[in-house]
Structure formats: C-alpha cells, structure tokens
C-alpha cells in the first residue's frame, strides 16, 4: 500500500501540465539528438544544465531524464536507416538494423526497436520502484566510513568497466579527483591549486567543465570527421510486425531487458555496455545466429531492449546512494546540487515529490517516445539532411551563453573553452573522459567522508575495516581490482571490448 500511495504521489507530480510538457520536451529533444549523429545525451545534458537554474527541480530532472532515455530511442533510427548510430549504445543495432532496411524491412526494424525499448523501459521502471526504497533504507544506515568505501568501490568499478587501457582510465580518475580538490579547503580555509586566480576560490564550475569536456569537445570531434549522411531509406512503411517476427523477438527482448537492467546498476555500466553485452549473448545462443550480420531481427530487439533498460536502472544507485554510475548520472547529480538538493538516500524522505515524480515520468516518457518515434519517422528522416556546418555555430553560441549565465562570469566561458581543448586532446590520446567526470564529482564527497570518518575515529584508520559493511565494500573493491589486473581476465576484457 505504501508503494501504491507513493506512486499516486509521483503521478500527481509527473502528470502536472508543466511537468508533462517538460517531460515531452526532454523526450523530443532526446530523440532529436539521438537521431542527429554527433551529439549524444551527455553533451546535450551538459549544454542544457544552465537553463535548469530557472526551473522547478521536478521539471528540470524530468526533462533531463527524458533526454537520456529518449536518446536511446532516437539513436536506433539513424543506425537502422543510414547505418550511422546517433548514439554509442546503438552501434550494434546498426549491424543488422541497416541490413533489414536494405532488404525493405526498415519499418519492422524500427517497430522492433520501439517496442523492445518500451517494454524494457517499463520493466526497468518497475525494478526502480521495487529496488530503490529498500536500497535507500540500507543506505541511511551508512556512516562516513561506509560511504567512503562505497565510493572507492564505485571508482574501482568504473575503471574496470571503462573501455580501453586500464592505466589510462586510472589516470583519468586521479585527474578528476585532483580537479575536484581545486578551491578553498572547507576545513582549514586554505586555498588549493588556485594559482592566485580569485575565480578559483570556489573551485572549478562543474557545469563549465562538463560542457567543455563533453559538449564543445564533441563538436570539435565532429568537425574533424564530419559525417557523410546520405539517407538511403527516405520512406518507411511496413511498421506492423508479423506473427513470426513477434515469435522471434520475444526471447531477445526478455533477455536484453534482464541483462540491461543488471548492467545498468553497475558503476561504469549503463546503456552502451548493456547493448553490446546483449548482442554478444544473443549471437551465441540464438537459433538464427547464422543470420546475424545479415539482418536478424533478434540482433535489433536484444540491444535496443538492453540499452533502454540499462539507461533507466542506472538511476538506481544515483537516486538511492547519490553515487553516479556514468557521466550522464554525474550530470544529473550536478543538476540536483544546482537545485539545492543533496543526492543520496535522503532524497526519498525529504523530496518524495521529486523522487516518485521522476519514476512515474519515466513510464509516461517511454509511452511518449513510442508515439513520437513511429508516426514522426518522416520528420526524423528529414532532420538527417541538415548539414552539420549549419548546426555547430548555433550550438557553440548556445554553450557560451549557458556557461556565462551560470555566474554571469566570462571566466566560466574560458573554463569551458579550456576544458574543451583538454577533452579533445585526451580523446586524441585515447583517454576516455567518463572516469574523469566521475572522479571530479565524487572527489569532494570522497574527501569529505574520509575526513569525517577520521574525525570520528580520532585519526584511527582501522575505522574502515571495523565496520563489517565498510570492510565488505573494500574487499569487493580489492577483488574487482585484482580481477582486472589479472593477465587472463585483462586479456578477455580487451577481447570483449574489441568485439
């Protein structure tokens, strides 16, 4: 009954006209940036953070969440129609989705992606409803030592699940932690790493840094390799699936949803890892695996279900523990802090309207996306013909206005520009920026809980191993670290990411 009353409270929030409107804007924008190759949800959310200042917290977070899972839907459209994934989690959808389109089955592929995403999104929302309150109740028993150990585990896991070199991922975490320590030390009042620049006394602005690393940097990468977009399928028909299609996609959708829901909760997981893992699993067990690569409908159903399930369950650690598992969740944590909300288990008790409103909005948002994606397919196809050289000046102008509006400071615009160069250089050197952002957002929280724990124990570091929960989290972190450093597992990890 408690859950029912909580959901009714969430429905009262989510179905307010303004929140429905912002949810619709988020879904529409998410679909659009998913369709347009080059701008992912991370870059878009980073760019839109400044405009959330003036919104109600519920409206702002509902819109940003809609952008995230909306992009998972939209990314499949370009993957299927022009073999160019609009979003990284749709890369594997392009393999067989495009082959289906070439065989005249673009409508069936798009319908499969939409239905699979809607089913997975609905199931993941139910999981969120079931899992979040108990997890938050456990988290309320956490002290500073347990939080510190949990954050250590989160950082270690994000290194393990980052693609590419482990050493580079580890370096990015350290770099992010150092960036997070810039500014005035709250306890001693001493400035750290400010280089006599007064604007840095309050630390680096999270919005400016994230806009530079993800927003502007993404534009620079696109300008370097401007996509040749030719729409091979200009008219899509045959959106109704046959009885045989339904028979073939049932299992992949269920397996993709299950796998995506699990992987989405892991730090460093989320939509991209889920879609790749679901495709690999289906390729191994499907009775029609000989068709994979030639237009197998299972290869569209499984990854599209997994990426949407993973996108939505990645909200679980963020909403219950305040620990972001991926860059988008780190930006959502930033959006909550901007609104004066402390992310963590207290959100459920202190901001029930926001918490349950967001959950209910995910279901209504998924329904909006099904309605948006299929009837408006012609509009999305026409959007693909917009030249990128017309888009990027407007996007850069929007970013500069956004960065300036945070504190009415030109310095923040320079910070954004500087970090766009840093982000671009890191990408050229094949350093993944996601661990950097996680280190940057978790660094101050990690330091704060470390200090509190040491104060409580009067300087005795054994406090981290005296608590069974803290000790368990540290042991798991050591096991994960040992596993990824093991040569055999490291080799298999490299093979998995290569595949």
């Amino acid at each position: 009954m408690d859950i029912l009353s909580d959901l009714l409270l969430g429905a009262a929030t989510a179905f307010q006209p303004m929140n429905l409107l912002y949810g619709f804007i988020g879904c529409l924008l998410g679909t659009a940036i998913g369709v347009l190759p080059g701008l992912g949800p991370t870059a878009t959310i980073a760019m839109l953070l400044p405009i959330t200042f003036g919104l109600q917290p519920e409206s702002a977070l509902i819109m940003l969440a809609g952008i995230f899972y909306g992009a998972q839907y939209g990314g499949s459209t370009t993957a299927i129609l022009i073999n160019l994934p609009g979003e990284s989690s749709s890369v594997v959808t392009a393999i067989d989705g495009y082959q289906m389109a070439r065989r005249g089955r673009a409508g069936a592929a798009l319908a499969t992606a939409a239905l699979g995403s809607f089913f997975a999104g609905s199931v993941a929302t139910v999981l969120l409803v079931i899992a979040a309150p108990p997890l938050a109740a456990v988290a309320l028993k956490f002290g500073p030592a347990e939080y510190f150990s949990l954050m250590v585990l989160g950082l270690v896991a994000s290194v393990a699940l980052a693609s590419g070199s482990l050493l580079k991922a580890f370096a990015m975490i350290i770099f992010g932690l150092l960036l997070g320590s810039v500014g005035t030390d709250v306890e001693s009042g001493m400035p750290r790493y400010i280089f006599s620049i007064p604007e840095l006394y309050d630390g680096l602005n999270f919005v400016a840094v994230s806009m530079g690393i993800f927003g502007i940097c993404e534009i620079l990468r696109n300008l370097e390799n401007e996509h040749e977009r030719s729409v091979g399928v200009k008219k899509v028909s045959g959106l109704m699936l046959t009885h045989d299609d339904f028979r073939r996609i049932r299992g992949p959708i269920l397996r993709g949803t299950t796998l995506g829901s699990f992987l989405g909760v892991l730090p460093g997981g989320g939509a991209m890892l889920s879609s790749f893992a679901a495709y690999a699993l289906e390729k191994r067990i499907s009775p029609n695996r000989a068709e994979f690569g030639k237009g197998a409908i299972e290869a569209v159903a499984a990854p599209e279900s997994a990426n949407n399930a993973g996108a939505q369950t990645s909200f679980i650690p963020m909403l219950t523990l305040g620990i972001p598992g991926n860059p988008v969740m780190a930006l959502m944590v930033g959006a909550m802090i901007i609104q004066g909300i402390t992310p963590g288990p207290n959100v459920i008790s202190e901001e029930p309207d926001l918490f349950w409103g967001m959950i209910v909005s995910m279901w209504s948002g998924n329904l909006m996306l099904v309605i948006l994606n299929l009837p408006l397919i012609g509009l999305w196809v026409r959007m693909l013909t917009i030249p990128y050289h017309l888009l990027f000046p407007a996007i850069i102008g929007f970013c500069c206005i956004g960065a300036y509006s945070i504190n009415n400071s030109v310095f923040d615009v320079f910070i954004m520009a500087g970090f766009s160069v840093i982000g671009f250089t890191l990408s050229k050197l094949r350093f993944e920026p996601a661990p950097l952002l996680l280190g940057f957002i978790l660094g101050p929280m990690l330091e704060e809980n470390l200090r509190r724990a040491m104060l409580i124990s009067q300087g005795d570091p054994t406090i981290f191993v005296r608590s069974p929960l803290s000790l368990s989290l540290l042991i798991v972190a050591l096991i994960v670290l040992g596993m990824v450093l093991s040569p055999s597992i490291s080799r298999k990890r490299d093979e998995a990411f290569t595949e």
Side-chain angles (χ1 to χ4, degrees), residues 60-239:
L61 290 168
I62 284 172
M63 183 180 75
L64 296 180
I67 292 172
F68 182 36
Y69 53 78
Q72 314 307 321
Y73 277 76
S76 63
T77 303
T78 44
I80 290 167
L81 295 182
I82 61 171
N83 197 24
L84 189 61
E87 169 55 15
S88 57
S89 60
S90 301
V91 169
V92 290
T93 306
I95 301 171
D96 286 80
Y98 183 61
Q99 293 301 322
M100 285 182 71
R102 289 186 66 186
R103 288 162 43 191
R105 301 213 68 209
L110 289 167
T112 301
L115 292 177
S117 296
F118 177 69
F119 176 81
S122 302
V123 171
T125 305
V126 173
L127 286 177
L128 197 54
V129 170
I130 295 170
L135 264 177
V138 172
L140 282 172
K141 297 175 183 171
F142 278 28
E146 288 81 6
Y147 261 117
F148 173 81
S149 302
L150 179 67
M151 288 175 195
V152 169
L153 172 61
L155 291 175
V156 169
S158 67
V159 169
L161 293 172
S163 59
S165 162
L166 282 175
L167 191 61
K168 288 180 176 177
F170 186 70
M172 286 290 91
I173 288 277
I174 299 295
F175 187 29
L177 291 173
L178 286 174
L179 290 177
S181 65
V182 172
T184 306
D185 186 316
V186 179
E187 303 235 346
S188 67
M190 294 295 290
R192 299 186 300 192
Y193 312 124
I194 64 166
F195 305 105
S196 302
I197 302 172
E199 287 86 353
L200 287 179
Y201 273 100
D202 291 332
L204 288 164
N205 188 292
F206 170 76
V207 179
V209 170
S210 53
M211 283 174 80
I213 289 181
F214 289 102
I216 303 289
C217 179
E218 193 71 36
I219 294 168
L220 295 176
R221 281 203 296 264
N222 290 334
L223 287 175
E224 186 187 34
N225 302 307
E226 190 169 355
H227 302 292
E228 291 293 331
R229 289 175 284 174
S230 67
V231 183
V233 183
K234 290 190 169 60
K235 188 174 180 183
V236 178
S237 58
L239 288 168

Side-chain angles (χ1 to χ4, degrees), residues 30 48 69 153 171 175 199 202 210 232 275 308 361 372 397 439 441 459 471:
L48 290 179
Y69 53 78
L153 172 61
F175 187 29
E199 287 86 353
D202 291 332
S210 53
S275 64
N308 213 44
S361 77
L372 276 174
I441 194 87
L471 178 61

Side-chain angles (χ1 to χ4, degrees), residues 92 163-164 276 490-499:
V92 290
S163 59
F276 278 78
S490 178
R491 193 166 50 249
K492 285 183 180 174
R493 172 184 175 277
D494 291 341
E495 287 171 4
F497 279 116
T498 302
E499 186 176 352

Side-chain angles (χ1 to χ4, degrees), residues 161-492:
L161 293 172
S163 59
S165 162
L166 282 175
L167 191 61
K168 288 180 176 177
F170 186 70
M172 286 290 91
I173 288 277
I174 299 295
F175 187 29
L177 291 173
L178 286 174
L179 290 177
S181 65
V182 172
T184 306
D185 186 316
V186 179
E187 303 235 346
S188 67
M190 294 295 290
R192 299 186 300 192
Y193 312 124
I194 64 166
F195 305 105
S196 302
I197 302 172
E199 287 86 353
L200 287 179
Y201 273 100
D202 291 332
L204 288 164
N205 188 292
F206 170 76
V207 179
V209 170
S210 53
M211 283 174 80
I213 289 181
F214 289 102
I216 303 289
C217 179
E218 193 71 36
I219 294 168
L220 295 176
R221 281 203 296 264
N222 290 334
L223 287 175
E224 186 187 34
N225 302 307
E226 190 169 355
H227 302 292
E228 291 293 331
R229 289 175 284 174
S230 67
V231 183
V233 183
K234 290 190 169 60
K235 188 174 180 183
V236 178
S237 58
L239 288 168
M240 292 300 292
L241 297 175
T242 65
H243 179 72
D244 185 52
D245 289 334
F246 276 114
R247 183 186 59 77
R248 288 179 60 171
I249 66 173
R250 278 182 308 204
I253 286 177
L254 284 173
R255 287 188 286 272
T257 302
T258 307
L259 193 59
S261 299
F262 172 70
L263 290 175
V265 180
L266 298 179
M272 188 176 77
L273 181 65
S274 304
S275 64
F276 278 78
Y279 181 84
L281 173 69
E282 214 56 44
K283 194 174 176 182
R284 288 182 188 276
I285 67 170
S286 172
N288 303 309
R289 55 182 173 272
E291 292 182 29
F292 274 60
K294 301 169 189 168
I297 197 167
E298 294 90 339
V300 175
E304 282 302 310
S305 307
N307 67 27
N308 213 44
Q312 294 195 211
T313 55
S314 64
F315 280 86
I316 292 177
M318 192 276 284
L319 286 173
T320 57
L321 305 173
I323 306 292
N326 55 50
V328 174
M329 289 304 110
L331 292 168
M332 294 291 286
V333 167
M336 292 174 86
I337 293 171
I338 286 169
Q339 294 283 350
I341 298 167
T342 305
N346 288 323
V347 171
I348 293 185
S349 55
E350 293 175 2
E351 304 282 346
D353 293 2
L354 171 76
F355 181 85
W356 293 105
M358 268 189 73
I359 289 179
V360 173
S361 77
M362 288 181 188
W363 188 83
S364 61
N366 274 283
L367 189 60
M368 287 180 194
L369 285 164
V370 171
I371 297 168
L372 276 174
N373 268 264
L374 297 180
L376 297 182
I377 195 70
L379 174 66
W380 306 133
V381 170
R382 279 196 292 278
M383 271 185 62
L384 290 170
T385 60
I386 300 174
Y388 193 71
H389 67 266
L390 296 179
L391 285 176
F392 86 86
I395 296 172
I396 288 182
F398 179 77
C399 286
C400 291
I401 294 168
Y404 177 79
S405 67
I406 302 164
N407 296 313
N408 290 335
S409 166
V410 178
F411 184 74
D412 285 335
V413 180
F414 287 128
I415 288 285
M416 181 189 73
F419 273 94
S420 65
V421 175
I422 292 172
F424 185 69
T425 308
L426 291 174
S427 72
K428 297 298 286 181
L429 296 173
R430 297 184 181 279
F431 282 85
E432 194 180 350
L436 185 154
L437 194 65
L438 290 182
F440 181 54
I441 194 87
L442 285 181
M445 291 192 270
L446 189 80
E447 183 185 2
E448 185 184 341
N449 283 292
L450 173 66
R451 284 185 167 185
R452 281 185 186 171
M454 294 302 282
L455 278 173
I456 290 169
S457 69
Q458 297 182 328
D460 182 4
T462 60
I463 188 174
F464 298 108
V465 294
R466 287 204 304 267
S467 156
L469 189 54
S470 173
L471 178 61
S472 305
L473 292 167
L474 288 176
I475 289 173
V476 175
L478 279 174
I479 292 171
V480 173
L481 194 61
M483 286 173 66
V484 295
L485 292 177
S486 158
S488 60
I489 293 183
S490 178
R491 193 166 50 249
K492 285 183 180 174

